């Protein structure tokens, strides 16, 4: 006898939220308040978008770019593009024109979906994106009357209007590509990391685990981390899988706006970088808000100040999870979730433990090596180059033949760290590439 074998395809994850919690909301912040739609509506619109893209000539394996803020339309694109077998290429809206031009052309994007207020940035590349056949312009309240000099531009709502609300997702190999994200802030040209259905499926299952973010259908998630950055740390997929309410800030990224969104939408988990949390804490202190519903927040991107972690815990009762990852790790690498043995630590010792980036979840291994590539002890003292391997770690950069792996199968992250006997790491510095 054998067990059933179902390919690990993202379509199984992305449609689930609408099945288990069809009435749960997807909320997008706008300058005039919030825009609401249900998970069922989001699912139907994603299926319409898939039909529209297919009618526009997008085929399995083609790259479709998004140049957007965090919002419901971007979530629909996440859903439609990957599930129809195309490749979601999230374009970083903060890149220079030079890097943006290189990335669009290197990926050979066929279509770009762009928020209306970001049109001027793309217009600077007119005539320099030869593979892009269509620009789909997503609008927000007050921006319906957009105009652009980009060729073959069509309004998002017109693009999907009248399309069927059910797309027959293809049965493709689980190792097929589904997402593409380019590194930034490095020397030389940006490098593309191509995620597969299998890698992102396993990544999604893992980040929902109790030892990582502890996600469930009772959560309200606010992904402040940009959706153009390493798949928004996987939150759009995890929300769809669990049926959790999703709240997205759009371009409203100041502390007061984020605080209002967290309080009014009763956000229980939020994710972002330290600068975001500094603004949020300042806004909360000024207003007197206690952010009573915010039970967990994830800090990544760079090291968090000890005072920030302490303030969230002691003043606001928020369990701060320090994490580490990178584009090449999809991005989850480690999460700082104490073990049972740590319950006996005094306050100072526990605070010191939480300053590090934590330990790897199931599915990824980490180690440190010396300058000759020899493994170093995990004793919390030795410092070496951080290497990792696992189900969602890059092997080869997109468009390059040479593997990024060492001869014995590890990826060199470029970070220097120590790892203690419990598997907890503490990043010290970033090596030059």
């Amino acid at each position: 006898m054998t067990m059933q074998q179902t390919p690990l395809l993202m379509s199984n994850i992305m449609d689930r939220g609408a099945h288990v919690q069809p009435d749960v909301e997807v909320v997008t912040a706008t300058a005039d308040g919030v825009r609401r739609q249900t998970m069922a509506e989001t699912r139907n619109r994603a299926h319409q978008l898939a039909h529209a893209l297919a009618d526009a000539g997008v085929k399995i394996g083609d790259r479709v770019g998004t140049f957007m803020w965090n919002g419901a339309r971007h979530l629909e694109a996440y859903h439609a593009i990957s599930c129809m077998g195309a490749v979601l290429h999230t374009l970083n809206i903060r890149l220079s024109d030079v890097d943006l031009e290189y990335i669009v052309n290197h990926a050979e994007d066929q279509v770009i979906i762009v928020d209306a207020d970001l049109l001027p940035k793309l217009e600077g590349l007119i005539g320099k994106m030869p593979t892009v056949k269509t620009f789909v312009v997503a609008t927000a309240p007050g921006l319906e009357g957009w105009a652009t000099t980009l060729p073959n531009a069509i309004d998002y709502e017109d693009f999907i209007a009248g399309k069927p609300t059910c797309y027959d997702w293809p049965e493709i190999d689980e190792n097929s590509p589904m997402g593409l994200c380019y590194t930034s802030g490095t020397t030389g040209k940006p490098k593309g990391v191509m995620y597969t259905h299998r890698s992102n499926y396993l990544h999604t299952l893992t980040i929902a685990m109790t030892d990582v973010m502890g996600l469930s259908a009772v959560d309200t998630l606010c992904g402040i981390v940009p959706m153009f950055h390493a798949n928004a740390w996987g939150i759009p997929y995890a929300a769809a899988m669990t049926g959790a309410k999703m709240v997205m800030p759009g371009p409203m990224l100041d502390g007061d706006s984020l605080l209002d969104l967290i309080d009014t939408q009763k956000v229980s988990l939020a994710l972002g970088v330290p600068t975001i949390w500094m603004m949020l804490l300042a806004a909360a202190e000024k207003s007197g808000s206690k952010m009573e519903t915010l039970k967990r927040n994830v800090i990544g991107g760079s090291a968090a100040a000890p005072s920030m972690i302490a303030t969230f815990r002691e003043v606001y009762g928020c369990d701060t999870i320090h994490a580490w990852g990178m584009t090449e790790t999809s991005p989850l690498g480690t999460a700082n979730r104490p073990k049972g043995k740590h319950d006996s630590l005094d306050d100072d010792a526990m605070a010191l433990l939480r300053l590090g980036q934590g330990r790897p979840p199931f599915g990824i291994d980490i180690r440190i090596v010396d300058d000759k590539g020899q493994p170093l002890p995990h004793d919390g003292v030795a410092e070496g180059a951080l290497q990792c391997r696992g189900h969602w770690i890059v092997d080869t950069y997109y468009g390059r033949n040479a593997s990024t792996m060492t001869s014995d199968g590890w990826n060199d992250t470029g970070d220097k760290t120590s790892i203690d006997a419990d598997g907890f790491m503490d990043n010290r510095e970033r090596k030059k590439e």
Side-chain angles (χ1 to χ4, degrees):
M1 298 180 66
T2 61
M3 303 298 290
Q4 295 182 16
Q5 292 189 7
T6 302
L8 305 184
L9 299 178
M10 294 307 293
S11 52
N12 298 325
I13 283 179
M14 295 306 290
D15 276 350
R16 187 173 188 273
H19 292 315
V20 298
Q21 298 228 83
D23 296 329
V24 163
E25 288 183 322
V26 173
V27 179
T28 304
T30 72
D32 300 322
V34 296
R35 183 175 64 207
R36 302 175 186 274
Q37 60 193 59
T38 65
M39 278 199 171
E41 291 169 335
T42 302
R43 177 260 179 210
N44 290 346
R45 288 173 58 85
H47 282 244
Q48 288 183 298
L49 176 58
H51 276 288
L53 290 170
D55 291 346
V58 173
K59 304 180 296 299
I60 291 175
D62 284 348
R63 275 72 65 201
V64 177
T66 59
F67 198 67
M68 310 174 79
W69 301 102
N70 290 18
R73 303 297 172 264
H74 206 169
L75 184 61
E76 292 163 11
Y78 261 67
H79 192 152
I81 296 167
S82 58
C83 293
M84 69 182 291
V87 177
L88 170 72
H89 177 202
T90 51
L91 295 162
N92 188 335
I93 66 175
R94 307 196 190 284
L95 287 181
S96 68
D97 286 354
V98 172
D99 282 345
L100 189 58
E101 177 187 347
Y102 172 80
I103 287 171
V104 169
N105 291 320
H106 188 265
E108 298 181 307
D109 290 331
Q110 302 295 302
V111 175
I112 293 179
I113 306 174
V114 51
D115 277 330
D117 59 337
L118 297 174
L119 283 168
K121 178 75 171 177
L122 280 187
E123 287 171 345
L125 300 181
I126 288 177
K128 299 179 179 179
M129 300 177 285
T131 64
V132 182
K133 302 179 179 68
T134 306
F135 294 90
V136 181
V137 183
T139 53
L143 296 174
E144 293 88 350
W146 60 267
T148 184
T149 53
L150 289 168
N152 301 319
I154 182 172
D155 189 89
Y156 187 102
E157 299 304 318
D158 294 336
F159 189 60
I160 70 171
K163 302 299 182 183
T165 57
C166 188
Y167 190 98
D168 188 13
W169 302 130
E171 286 285 333
I172 57 179
D173 189 290
E174 64 182 26
N175 293 301
S176 300
M178 55 77 58
L180 178 60
C181 187
Y182 281 75
T183 62
S184 59
T186 60
T187 56
K189 297 289 189 183
K191 300 184 292 294
V193 177
M194 184 72 84
Y195 309 119
T196 67
H197 283 263
R198 183 179 188 275
S199 71
N200 255 13
Y201 196 108
L202 296 173
H203 183 269
T204 303
L205 294 176
T206 299
I207 67 172
M209 291 172 61
T210 304
D211 269 349
V212 185
M213 298 181 192
L215 305 181
S216 76
V218 304
D219 276 310
T220 296
L221 311 181
C222 183
I224 307 171
V225 57
M227 292 174 75
F228 56 73
H229 181 250
N231 286 338
W233 300 357
I235 284 299
Y237 305 121
M241 182 183 73
T242 58
K245 177 179 177 179
M246 184 121 180
V247 177
M248 292 167 285
M252 318 299 292
L253 297 173
D254 61 283
D256 291 337
S257 296
L258 292 174
L259 177 63
D260 180 69
L261 197 63
I262 287 171
D263 282 343
T264 60
Q265 300 306 315
K266 303 187 185 308
V267 170
S268 60
L269 169 65
L271 303 93
V273 297
T275 52
I276 289 292
W277 302 126
M278 290 173 61
M279 291 191 298
L280 181 65
L281 288 176
E285 183 179 7
K286 180 179 65 176
S287 72
S289 168
K290 293 302 181 183
M291 298 187 286
E292 293 178 355
T293 65
L294 187 64
K295 302 304 180 185
R296 307 185 305 288
N297 69 325
V298 178
I299 297 179
S302 60
S307 59
M308 179 188 298
I309 296 176
T311 299
F312 269 113
R313 289 183 178 279
E314 297 168 9
V315 178
Y316 299 98
C318 178
D319 182 16
T320 296
I321 305 168
H322 209 180
W324 168 86
M326 50 201 294
T327 304
E328 289 88 341
T329 63
S330 299
L332 177 66
T334 63
N336 197 322
R337 301 291 263 177
K339 298 180 177 182
K341 64 180 292 184
H342 297 130
D343 288 345
S344 60
L345 294 179
D346 60 33
D347 290 345
D348 289 342
M350 180 63 84
L352 183 61
L353 175 73
R354 291 188 183 279
L355 289 182
Q357 288 75 27
R359 55 194 173 98
F362 173 76
I364 181 172
D365 298 317
I366 62 173
R367 72 176 185 181
I368 50 176
V369 299
D370 62 20
D371 292 340
K372 296 180 180 179
Q374 296 301 306
L376 293 170
H378 294 183
D379 57 8
V381 177
E383 295 181 16
L386 175 64
Q387 297 183 341
C388 60
R389 65 182 181 187
H391 299 302
W392 50 85
I393 309 302
V394 68
D395 181 315
T396 306
Y397 288 114
Y398 177 63
R400 301 189 182 190
N401 294 323
S403 172
T404 66
M405 311 296 280
T406 64
S407 59
D408 56 347
W410 294 76
N411 179 273
D412 193 330
T413 69
D415 284 343
K416 184 177 182 180
T417 192
S418 63
I419 304 174
D420 69 17
D422 289 313
F424 283 70
M425 78 173 195
D426 186 3
N427 269 6
R428 305 300 172 88
E429 61 183 86
R430 179 76 180 173
K431 294 192 305 183
K432 290 184 178 180
E433 189 169 345

